[in-house]
Amino acid sequence: MGRRRKVGLAVVAGLGAVSLGLSFTSAAGAAPVGTPDGLKLVRTKTSLLGKHYWYQQTFKGLPVVGGYYAKHVGKNGAVEVADGRDAVPADLDVSAKVAPEAATQAANASVTARARRDAGPEKSLVRQPEATSGAAQLAVIGGPNARVVWNVTSRSTEGVTRSLVDAKTGSVVESKVISDNIDGRGSVFDPNPVVSEQNEKLTDMNDKNQDALFLAQKNVILRNLDGSGKLNGTYVNIKEAKGGVAQSKNNTFVYQRANDKFEQVMVYYHINQTQEYIQKLGFTDVNNESQDFSVDTYAGDNSFYDPSTDMITTGEGGVDDAEDAEVIWHEYGHAIQDDVVPGFGESEQAGAIGEGFGDYWAVTNSVPVSKGFNLPCVMDWDATSYTSGEPHCLRRTDGTKTTDDIDGEVHDDGEIWSRALWDIQQSLGRAKADKLILEATFFYDPDTSFASAAQDTVQAARLLYGKAAAQTVTDAFKARKIL
Ligand SMILES: [Ca+2]
Ligand SMILES: [Ca+2]
Ligand SMILES: [Ca+2]
Ligand SMILES: [Ca+2]
Ligand SMILES: [Zn+2]
């Protein structure tokens, strides 16, 4: 609210029809007992110099949107008042003609329309806003257009929105984002330069800027930033990074790959993307938090998820790991499983499922941006540092291993699992496959076996999509001799 009338003790003038009835009886150090009518105490704060009483303005028992009143009582007894009330005509009828459900619908339609408009080419990622339960509340707007409204709180990809819907006519009077989430700008590889340029000849050259790699950079919107000027937001927090965390007053994070901050932008963008995708699939409780990352802080050629601190660390050996989105998504796969199944990975086969799922998660997130290029190849860019043959892949999701090939090493055996998941996707399509695989994860034991987790997956397919889908999933696991 932009109007703040800071005045001394005598406050009464200029409020039209509002009945005020001020009568202070403040004594030094004591809480003031006299306040204008229609005020509801909502908070009391204590500072070094005094006490601060915050009131919500009300009219006929309803809150007046944005109408506030504060009383600051100094230690010496001096009282200062900040009066932010709006005038409300005494005869305003506060009964509602529109039902709260209809108001919620109107509010959400308006929020969705704007989120779609602002999302640009990525319209499909706009989530239907859900009104928080019991969120439609009657309120009053004061001022020249005084009226009674439903106050509806919704969530969408824009963040949290407050809409005011006229309770007589049902029209949306105002709709604004009240959370601090904002969009920033950045530049990334998507998913990595080998795939986007379809060029297996690219090499790291010790993190040097190169024309071919500059051309592989893509300008993107960084959504859901918290506005702190750092890469911290609803789904990702760059907690620590080599050379310090990136900062930008205007939330612009454009770097070339030789700058270590480039990897921080990679992490932010690609994790936000994948969590938005998870939410679009309908899941609101799959690592739905600001995942901590430590970027470029490990000298070896490895990245890892640490369940004891819930932190993902990306290494900088060879190609900086976070220059390849598939490394980032693989590690996020571990964070997903640890979030959904506490302590997941207690057995060798559970560990292999973790690695196989991580590889699958990397690949499925690459599908929409890879134009079909070498899809089952995992970490095409990072792997240029340690593979000589083309295509460069750390592992693949279309291998031919079955349980006959189990060797007890989780990454090796993970290829058995990832192939089954990949086959499910080939048969059922990406969204269906990802949805049933995520759903099944909720039923895994921490020390599950291949067979038991496969049964959970078949069951999820049956319940979500029916018998035929369940058979497809069964066949995929049978081909790996898991079932
Ligand atoms: Ca780099
Ligand atoms: Ca987590
Ligand atoms: Ca690397
Ligand atoms: Ca790939
Ligand atoms: Zn892993």
Side-chain angles (χ1 to χ4, degrees):
M1 288 288 119
R3 77 215 130 64
R4 186 176 167 88
R5 298 184 292 272
K6 203 153 191 178
V7 293
L9 193 51
V11 193
V12 192
L15 281 168
V18 182
S19 134
L20 290 173
L22 282 175
S23 60
F24 291 116
T25 57
S26 63
V33 294
T35 52
D37 291 341
L39 289 182
K40 187 179 154 207
L41 182 68
V42 288
R43 191 173 297 174
T44 305
K45 307 287 291 176
T46 304
S47 70
L48 296 176
L49 296 175
K51 288 207 161 210
H52 311 269
Y53 302 87
W54 286 93
Y55 300 85
Q56 166 73 56
Q57 180 189 359
T58 65
F59 179 81
K60 296 186 180 171
L62 298 177
V64 177
V65 178
Y68 68 85
Y69 186 93
K71 204 181 311 182
H72 307 280
V73 181
K75 283 220 164 103
N76 60 2
V79 175
E80 196 182 306
V81 162
D83 191 345
R85 287 173 296 169
D86 287 326
V88 181
D91 59 353
L92 184 76
D93 170 18
V94 297
S95 63
K97 284 210 174 69
V98 174
E101 296 77 20
T104 301
Q105 258 179 26
N108 286 350
S110 131
V111 170
T112 304
R114 192 183 48 216
R116 287 240 161 89
R117 218 163 41 237
D118 294 350
E122 282 166 325
K123 286 188 172 54
S124 62
L125 280 174
V126 174
R127 188 155 44 105
Q128 196 66 20
E130 318 148 25
T132 352
S133 65
Q137 285 169 344
L138 269 187
V140 166
I141 304 179
N145 296 308
R147 65 184 84 191
V148 58
V149 293
W150 287 105
N151 184 344
V152 180
T153 307
S154 317
R155 292 195 53 151
S156 73
T157 48
E158 291 186 304
V160 179
T161 305
R162 184 189 72 191
S163 303
L164 303 176
V165 181
D166 191 309
K168 301 284 189 203
T169 67
S171 69
V172 179
V173 178
E174 176 193 295
S175 175
K176 74 172 186 183
V177 177
I178 55 171
S179 57
D180 289 333
N181 289 356
I182 57 154
D183 290 347
R185 292 180 186 282
S187 180
V188 296
F189 297 145
D190 192 14
N192 62 49
V194 169
V195 171
S196 65
E197 307 312 291
Q198 308 208 346
N199 184 352
E200 297 282 351
K201 307 293 182 202
L202 297 170
T203 56
D204 183 39
M205 297 175 70
N206 201 18
D207 211 12
K208 214 165 103 74
N209 286 335
Q210 304 166 42
D211 289 348
L213 294 178
F214 181 66
L215 292 173
Q217 290 191 214
K218 167 180 161 184
N219 292 326
V220 293
I221 301 293
L222 303 173
R223 282 193 289 272
N224 299 315
L225 286 164
D226 69 1
S228 64
K230 297 180 185 170
L231 290 167
N232 191 356
T234 314
Y235 304 136
V236 201
N237 176 25
I238 307 299
K239 197 168 183 192
E240 42 187 61
K242 185 186 179 189
V245 298
Q247 299 204 41
S248 164
K249 280 199 180 80
N250 53 3
N251 297 288
T252 301
F253 300 90
V254 177
Y255 313 102
Q256 285 195 62
R257 52 103 54 169
N259 186 330
D260 292 332
K261 294 186 169 66
F262 178 77
E263 284 84 67
Q264 298 180 39
V265 185
M266 284 287 294
V267 167
Y268 187 90
Y269 176 74
H270 290 293
I271 293 299
N272 182 72
Q273 289 292 102
T274 195
Q275 182 58 234
E276 283 187 353
Y277 173 58
I278 289 168
Q279 305 258 347
K280 185 196 157 205
L281 291 175
F283 295 96
T284 55
D285 200 8
V286 173
N287 205 32
N288 185 5
E289 53 134 344
S290 189
Q291 177 65 51
D292 287 340
F293 271 82
S294 175
V295 180
D296 288 340
T297 52
Y298 180 75
D301 195 355
N302 199 5
S303 296
F304 46 87
Y305 170 71
D306 176 358
S308 71
T309 55
D310 193 13
M311 167 95 88
I312 292 172
T313 299
T314 64
E316 53 168 8
V319 169
D320 295 335
D321 283 10
E323 283 192 18
D324 192 329
E326 293 185 335
V327 178
I328 299 167
W329 290 323
H330 173 98
E331 296 309 326
Y332 196 67
H334 291 300
I336 286 174
Q337 291 193 317
D338 186 64
D339 179 74
V340 172
V341 183
F344 185 77
E346 285 296 314
S347 61
E348 195 275 329
Q349 289 194 0
I353 287 170
E355 298 308 332
F357 172 73
D359 285 352
Y360 172 79
W361 197 248
V363 166
T364 188
N365 278 283
S366 273
V367 167
V369 288
S370 292
K371 302 193 175 94
F373 184 75
N374 287 341
L375 288 179
C377 174
V378 182
M379 305 181 196
D380 322 59
W381 173 224
D382 188 57
T384 59
S385 303
Y386 44 78
T387 57
S388 46
E390 297 176 7
H392 301 282
C393 317
L394 171 64
R395 288 181 293 274
R396 300 186 62 93
T397 59
D398 62 352
T400 56
K401 287 179 187 171
T402 70
T403 50
D404 293 342
D405 302 301
I406 287 177
D407 70 3
E409 202 287 320
V410 289
H411 300 88
D412 293 348
D413 297 344
E415 285 191 291
I416 304 168
W417 189 257
S418 66
R419 170 67 196 268
L421 301 186
W422 184 237
D423 283 350
I424 294 168
Q425 172 158 153
Q426 299 310 293
S427 304
L428 296 180
R430 177 175 181 247
K432 265 188 171 178
D434 290 346
K435 199 163 163 177
L436 76 89
I437 289 163
L438 286 176
E439 180 61 27
T441 306
F442 283 85
F443 294 88
Y444 292 174
D445 295 329
D447 58 351
T448 189
S449 63
F450 277 156
S452 171
Q455 277 154 8
D456 291 335
T457 312
V458 172
Q459 174 80 349
R462 181 175 11 252
L463 295 175
L464 288 172
Y465 302 117
K467 258 173 129 175
Q471 189 57 51
T472 300
V473 172
T474 303
D475 293 345
F477 287 117
K478 277 193 169 156
R480 309 271 63 81
K481 299 190 183 178
I482 286 171
L483 289 178

